[in-house]
Amino acid sequence: MSIDVKQLADRYLAQWNEPDPAARSALIREVWAPDAVHVLVDPPQEIRDAAAALAVPAPPLEVHGHAALEARVGRAYEMFVASGEHVFTAGEPTVLLPNVIAIRWSMVTTGGGEAVGGGVDVVSLDPSGRILTDRQFIAP
């Protein structure tokens, strides 16, 4: 498989920053395989606390397929980007294996570019170069 990993990383980040739901949907369908899985490996503290109160380990949070990805990406946009205070940016992607790529990202302020969050996504690609699985790790 020969893909431009920088372009893939840029398109991946573009979906999280896209204000137009129709354009966001088109990006998701372009970047993700129809049966793709996105996993938030380390859920937010509130979820970990609720799981601990039940005496069970905190589960990873998963969404499957384009419709669920649209809801997930749309909600992240509303929470972090819609106000105009932040934007997601990507670092240089790293090829880990021929079909596995790490995408480091940051959430930065639009006023000064100060990083206020970030993490890394480890994505595996299908034969057409679209994301099949995405394991998202958010930095503490």
Side-chain angles (χ1 to χ4, degrees), residues 33 38 70:
H38 171 73
E70 286 181 32

Side-chain angles (χ1 to χ4, degrees), residues 2-63:
S2 176
I3 64 160
D4 181 336
V5 295
K6 177 67 173 145
Q7 181 182 33
L8 174 69
D10 289 347
R11 302 298 286 164
Y12 177 81
L13 262 290
Q15 72 184 350
W16 301 94
N17 291 318
E18 178 53 56
D20 178 58
R24 188 181 316 123
S25 176
L27 276 168
I28 287 168
R29 282 166 169 60
E30 173 190 326
V31 172
W32 297 81
D35 56 346
V37 178
H38 171 73
V39 181
L40 180 57
V41 175
D42 191 17
Q45 187 62 48
E46 309 84 58
I47 294 171
R48 292 194 307 269
D49 291 345
L54 296 171
V56 297
L61 304 178
E62 296 184 16
V63 297

Side-chain angles (χ1 to χ4, degrees), residues 115-137:
V116 294
V120 64
D121 285 53
V122 178
V123 301
S124 65
L125 307 176
D126 72 5
S128 68
R130 294 193 294 175
I131 296 172
L132 187 57
T133 62
D134 173 7
R135 298 183 64 80
Q136 185 175 67
F137 300 85

